[in-house]
Amino acid sequence: MIDELNRKFGLPGVASFAPGRNGLPRLELRHGSGASLQVYLHGAHVTSWRRPDGREMLFTSGQSEFADGRPIRGGIPVVFPQFGDGPLPKHGFARIRTWRPEFVRVAPGGALEARLVLDDDAGTYAMWPHRFRLALDVALSDVLTVRVSVRNAGGAPFSFLAALHTYFAVDDIACATVLGLKGLPFIDTVGDGRKPGTDGCEAIAFDRETDRVYARAPARVALRDEAARFTLALDSEGMRDIVVWNPWVEKSKRMPDFGDDEYRRMVCVETGVVAEGIDLPPDGLWTGATTFRVE
Ligand code: BG6
């Protein structure tokens, strides 16, 4: 299978498929700037993004399963068509299905681009009776852009939620802050309730379990890691909501695929449409994208 993928999609020196963890196929992109990216066909799950100097920007748990039917803990899980709990598997089925590559290419400006696609099939239809085509586009240069597109390929409208559930690697959560959400209302989803809140601080800091949904958030937010001395800007189009999540001590212990202390080295800043569903008519297309840029 790997040989066939490379025959069809490999680009000498810059793009190749290789067996990843547990032999699951993954695409590896190596850009001339020094930046690199790994994305599994399982879930179209980006598990590594290294900036040009080689620093890994994404967190992936050492306890993660890499198994059919199981989500990967870390990187960029693709959430679709449900966010959180509901009738479907948690955060939807996109992150636990096998996607297929559509193309891998060098764009005219030199960025490496790849598209992975997930179409409805009997398995998804049994869970969610809609015809759709979901695409994940990655564009890697000295920055990374990830785009999610949803097409309604059926004859009836449907509604969905979607997100890039990105896990960032930080040196020390005590020194990490999220900027750009000052004074905005959020829904606090820690525990069982959904409590409204606002935060007047310039920066969100972490000293407890944090799980906040900011609906209609600004197009730009940033993650600052004072310990590692970087600021990572997230610029989104179409992704109108932001979720900020760190499981902290107790929840980390409850998650079987996450180390007890790993909450210290990660924070999720998720971009998507999670507060209110997107209604898509037959043949309708929705896209949302986030560009990640280290400043
Ligand atoms: C976040 C949710 O988006 O995802 C959290 O806000 C949830 O409540 C977290 O715990 C992780 O979900 P999962 O299914 O990957 O464990």
Side-chain angles (χ1 to χ4, degrees), residues 7-285:
R7 257 195 313 279
K8 278 193 183 154
F9 301 105
L11 299 173
V14 295
S16 55
F17 280 87
R21 296 276 302 277
N22 286 342
L24 295 175
R26 76 179 176 211
L27 172 63
E28 303 178 350
L29 302 178
R30 291 168 295 277
H31 185 258
S33 64
S36 65
L37 180 129
Q38 297 180 347
V39 55
Y40 280 75
L41 297 186
H42 179 63
H45 203 120
V46 176
T47 52
S48 170
W49 167 43
R50 289 183 187 275
R51 68 184 188 190
D53 69 359
R55 183 190 166 89
E56 177 59 70
M57 301 307 294
L58 300 179
F59 165 88
T60 302
S61 170
Q63 310 292 316
S64 179
E65 292 179 68
F66 285 76
D68 278 342
R70 301 290 305 150
I72 294 171
R73 175 70 69 193
I76 313 184
V78 179
V79 172
F80 174 87
Q82 169 186 298
F83 182 82
D85 290 314
L88 301 176
K90 187 163 173 206
H91 288 327
F93 48 69
R95 65 178 181 166
I96 52 172
R97 309 290 296 186
T98 301
W99 297 46
R100 65 178 167 80
E102 189 172 284
F103 61 73
V104 181
R105 66 188 181 201
V106 182
L112 295 176
E113 297 182 341
R115 175 177 294 163
L116 304 184
V117 171
L118 181 71
D119 290 309
D120 65 274
D121 61 18
T124 66
Y125 199 85
M127 287 184 267
W128 195 63
H130 303 289
R131 305 281 180 212
F132 66 87
R133 171 161 293 185
L134 186 59
L136 188 89
D137 283 274
V138 295
L140 178 71
S141 57
D142 52 342
V143 304
L144 170 64
T145 299
V146 184
R147 177 178 297 275
V148 180
S149 308
V150 183
R151 181 174 291 285
N152 184 342
F158 64 65
S159 177
F160 68 91
L161 301 173
L164 298 172
H165 192 306
T166 311
Y167 289 70
F168 293 105
V170 295
D171 274 8
D172 183 352
I173 189 65
C175 304
T177 50
V178 175
L179 304 157
L181 296 165
K182 179 184 177 182
L184 298 176
F186 60 82
I187 301 294
D188 183 345
T189 59
V190 171
D192 297 333
R194 289 176 60 83
K195 297 174 286 297
T198 50
D199 184 338
C201 299
E202 204 61 55
I204 302 170
F206 299 90
D207 63 359
R208 69 196 66 187
E209 183 180 346
T210 304
D211 199 348
R212 295 180 175 184
V213 179
Y214 287 84
R216 308 273 171 178
R220 167 171 278 209
V221 296
L223 169 65
R224 172 85 191 137
D225 183 346
E226 287 296 338
R229 299 192 171 281
F230 70 78
T231 301
L232 179 83
L234 287 75
D235 290 296
S236 295
E237 330 159 359
M239 304 292 209
R240 59 191 181 200
D241 309 323
I242 301 270
V243 182
V244 179
W245 180 59
N246 182 288
W248 215 250
V249 178
E250 294 306 324
K251 188 158 180 170
S252 296
K253 289 184 185 158
R254 292 198 300 273
M255 296 195 297
D257 57 348
F258 191 81
D260 288 359
D261 287 331
E262 286 185 321
Y263 72 92
R264 293 176 183 280
R265 294 193 289 106
M266 57 67 69
V267 62
C268 285
V269 183
E270 308 165 34
T271 53
V273 284
V274 304
E276 207 184 311
I278 298 282
D279 295 322
L280 210 56
D283 212 33
L285 176 70

